[in-house]
Amino acid sequence: MMIKTHRRCTAFTCLLAAVSLLFALPWAVHARDFDVRPGFTVVDSIAQLREVMQRDDQNIRMKPGTYRVEDTWPDDAQSVFIVSGSNNHFDLRDVTIEVPTEIYRDMRGRVHSLAGYRIHGHHNTFEGATFENTGDYPPHRSLPEFSVRGDDNRFVGCRFIIRGSAPYGYGDYFGKGRGSAVRLQKHSAMSVGGDRTVIEDCHFRIHTFGHGISIHGAQDTVIRNVHLRGDVRPTNEIYQETSGPAARFEYKIMSPPWKKGEPIPRDQVVHVTEDGIRAYTRGSRDGQTRSTGRITVENCTVIRMRGGITLTLAGPPARVENSTVIDCAHGYSLPNNSVVRNSAGNAAFGPLLIMPYSHKRGADIELELIPSEETRGDHPLASITGRGHRIRITAAEDFEPATLRPIVIGRVPGGRYTSDNTSQEELRRRHRANDIVLRNLTPHPVHLTPYAHDGEIHSRGPITDQGERNQSQRLAEP
């Protein structure tokens, strides 16, 4: 019901109205009119929302407002919400659901059994919500905010604000998986294991060491019109700490093993999140292990995450269109027979493109290199291994890079496989790049290592060829 007010009031009545409004403010948003579509049932509490999440075939409208969760799921202390119902539409427009991170600090369970929201039902739509963590406590054990295991679930027009992890502020200098030098208490935004999940018109803000969207064994995932943003930190700030893991390890890198003991580099930045959109090779559901299948990414932007759109571990194919990656530690990485079109990125703090696995083949990639506001590091523009990839990198005609970065064909990124620690046979297997067709329309140079064979290179930048049977052509300046 609309509340009517008079235009004029006495000083006393105005003061009384102002005081009343002040005390009513947390609840005022519930009192205003809001649209309810025909056939939708209204709920106005966390308890009611939890109840309807267990049922099927509903249309639910939650009253606009901010709702703060006080505890875990009543019958399952390993989650805050459990969506076991199917065929539901949850209209959560103008609704904010706050989950305090201290709840996760006290949550106990096995690895992969914990999550903020566990979605086991099928054919559910979540529309318009803001899902926000408050506080900054790390979880007792690593977990995702959303674990999507049911099929055909959709997230439309939602915002995800993720907080609370440890360690935070060091990227993966101290490890990112089993055998880490410190205990990891990661907190990712969304883990997808269900088929035909659609994430559309959503915004992710990641303030944790964890992924934005990670895909584990799911088939036909669609991510469309999604914006994901993380953070970077100047490495010089780390040296100002007098306590914590960096000081304890004397400001040395502890992971990966081939870099252990090296000083944390000065005058660089470290990406303190993990990847924006990340595919894993496989995942487990209902006791069965499944390989990750087709992924489609359309009209997405990833900013300042460790990896941008890193799908290389998925099964073929993947398709990426009209997307942009900015200020990531590495931009794009694709599986077999994938296609990238009308997409762009910079190389400010890491390569625009990496194809790190020599057994991958047949990717067809077109990328535009865009300018960076700042640039740091000695990384390449691209690092390419595999077989039969077709790659085209363009830039605006007036593009003038601050630093020339090589496109390296025939070398895995990083220092894991070097002549110091690996046999020549293993080096050839890991670094090989055969039948690569590259059209480089940027001023950056191209370097073909001894592991690059039978390639076809057209480049505006200079070409250095240490490989075998490669054909190269220097293109004229525009």
Side-chain angles (χ1 to χ4, degrees):
M1 178 181 70
M2 181 67 72
I3 300 175
K4 296 182 179 180
T5 58
H6 296 287
R7 291 187 177 181
R8 294 183 179 180
C9 60
T10 66
F12 174 77
T13 55
C14 286
L15 177 61
L16 180 62
V19 172
S20 299
L21 179 62
L22 178 64
F23 282 98
L25 192 58
W27 308 102
V29 70
H30 294 286
R32 74 186 186 199
D33 280 352
F34 61 96
D35 64 299
V36 181
R37 296 160 177 159
F40 277 69
T41 299
V42 176
V43 299
D44 63 358
S45 69
I46 293 295
Q48 289 181 333
L49 181 61
R50 283 172 164 170
E51 182 179 354
V52 297
M53 283 178 168
Q54 302 172 71
R55 302 176 188 169
D56 302 332
D57 305 312
Q58 306 164 104
N59 293 315
I60 302 299
R61 174 63 160 127
M62 195 169 195
K63 283 188 177 181
T66 298
Y67 298 83
R68 182 180 176 87
V69 177
E70 301 295 340
D71 52 15
T72 58
W73 187 263
D75 300 321
D76 187 340
Q78 296 183 345
S79 302
V80 175
F81 291 95
I82 298 177
V83 183
S84 55
S86 296
N87 302 309
N88 297 308
H89 186 144
F90 297 96
D91 183 348
L92 305 172
R93 289 172 296 153
D94 299 313
V95 169
T96 296
I97 298 177
E98 294 183 348
V99 178
T101 53
E102 61 187 305
I103 291 177
Y104 297 148
R105 178 190 61 182
D106 299 327
M107 191 183 288
R108 298 294 189 268
R110 295 176 289 105
V111 175
H112 306 307
S113 68
L114 305 176
Y117 299 73
R118 280 198 287 164
I119 301 175
H120 299 306
H122 312 291
H123 295 278
N124 294 299
T125 295
F126 302 86
E127 179 188 3
T130 294
F131 301 101
E132 182 170 5
N133 296 132
T134 59
D136 202 29
Y137 292 104
H140 177 73
R141 193 182 294 274
S142 298
L143 55 75
E145 190 71 13
F146 279 78
S147 176
V148 184
R149 292 296 175 263
D151 296 334
D152 299 288
N153 290 295
R154 300 176 69 240
F155 297 85
V156 181
C158 295
R159 297 179 70 239
F160 304 84
I161 304 170
I162 309 302
R163 297 186 175 95
S165 70
Y168 183 67
Y170 312 99
D172 51 16
Y173 282 148
F174 308 128
K176 59 182 179 179
R178 184 177 299 175
S180 296
V182 298
R183 179 169 176 260
L184 296 179
Q185 296 162 276
K186 295 185 184 183
H187 187 180
S188 60
M190 184 176 292
S191 170
V192 177
D195 297 343
R196 296 174 299 280
T197 300
V198 176
I199 307 165
E200 187 169 14
D201 298 323
C202 291
H203 178 97
F204 291 76
R205 186 65 173 95
I206 314 297
H207 299 282
T208 60
F209 187 50
H211 295 303
I213 302 169
S214 59
I215 304 164
H216 308 255
Q219 313 299 308
D220 298 307
T221 304
V222 176
I223 304 169
R224 181 185 296 125
N225 303 329
V226 170
H227 184 282
L228 303 102
R229 187 181 183 101
D231 290 304
V232 298
R233 181 190 188 193
T235 54
N236 289 352
E237 285 186 5
I238 298 175
Y239 281 90
Q240 298 173 14
E241 298 179 357
T242 58
S243 62
R248 187 165 72 249
F249 294 123
E250 298 179 334
Y251 311 100
K252 302 289 180 61
I253 296 173
M254 302 305 292
S255 180
W258 58 92
K259 296 181 73 68
K260 184 176 181 179
E262 294 182 12
I264 292 172
R266 291 183 179 271
D267 303 318
Q268 304 297 324
V269 299
V270 58
H271 291 77
V272 296
T273 65
E274 292 193 288
D275 300 342
I277 302 173
R278 166 68 185 270
Y280 283 85
T281 306
R282 59 186 65 88
S284 178
R285 190 177 71 162
D286 300 326
Q288 296 183 339
T289 299
R290 310 187 305 162
S291 297
T292 301
R294 184 191 306 268
I295 299 170
T296 301
V297 178
E298 300 175 350
N299 304 313
C300 292
T301 301
V302 183
I303 300 175
R304 296 199 165 192
M305 302 290 288
R306 183 184 67 195
I309 301 173
T310 57
L311 309 180
T312 188
L313 295 180
R319 186 171 186 90
V320 179
E321 293 187 89
N322 303 317
S323 294
T324 304
V325 173
I326 299 172
D327 291 356
C328 291
H330 50 272
Y332 295 83
S333 186
L334 286 305
N336 293 342
N337 304 318
S338 295
V339 175
V340 178
R341 290 290 184 272
N342 299 318
S343 295
N346 65 14
F349 306 133
L352 170 66
L353 172 68
I354 61 171
M355 300 295 287
Y357 297 109
S358 60
H359 64 281
K360 301 292 183 179
R361 61 185 61 201
D364 185 355
I365 299 169
E366 295 182 0
L367 289 171
E368 179 185 358
L369 177 64
I370 58 178
S372 308
E373 292 185 4
E374 62 173 316
T375 183
R376 302 190 191 188
D378 58 358
H379 52 272
L381 174 62
S383 185
I384 300 162
T385 64
R387 177 185 290 274
H389 301 315
R390 303 295 185 264
I391 299 170
R392 186 172 187 264
I393 302 177
T394 63
E397 290 187 0
D398 59 351
F399 182 81
E400 295 183 5
T403 303
L404 288 176
R405 302 186 181 280
I407 299 171
V408 180
I409 300 179
R411 189 174 72 217
V412 175
R416 182 174 184 178
Y417 304 108
T418 70
S419 57
D420 295 332
N421 60 19
T422 311
S423 69
Q424 286 299 314
E425 180 180 352
E426 184 73 358
L427 286 169
R428 283 191 294 272
R429 187 173 75 85
R430 296 286 187 177
H431 290 313
R432 66 188 174 199
N434 297 342
D435 188 30
I436 305 296
V437 177
L438 171 69
R439 189 167 184 84
N440 170 36
L441 302 181
T442 79
H444 294 278
V446 177
H447 176 58
L448 296 103
T449 75
Y451 309 104
H453 299 165
D454 302 296
E456 181 181 330
I457 311 301
H458 306 268
S459 176
R460 286 186 182 154
I463 303 169
T464 303
D465 187 359
Q466 296 178 318
E468 298 178 7
R469 301 183 301 278
N470 296 302
Q471 301 178 34
S472 60
Q473 176 190 15
R474 183 79 182 272
L475 301 176
E477 294 293 329

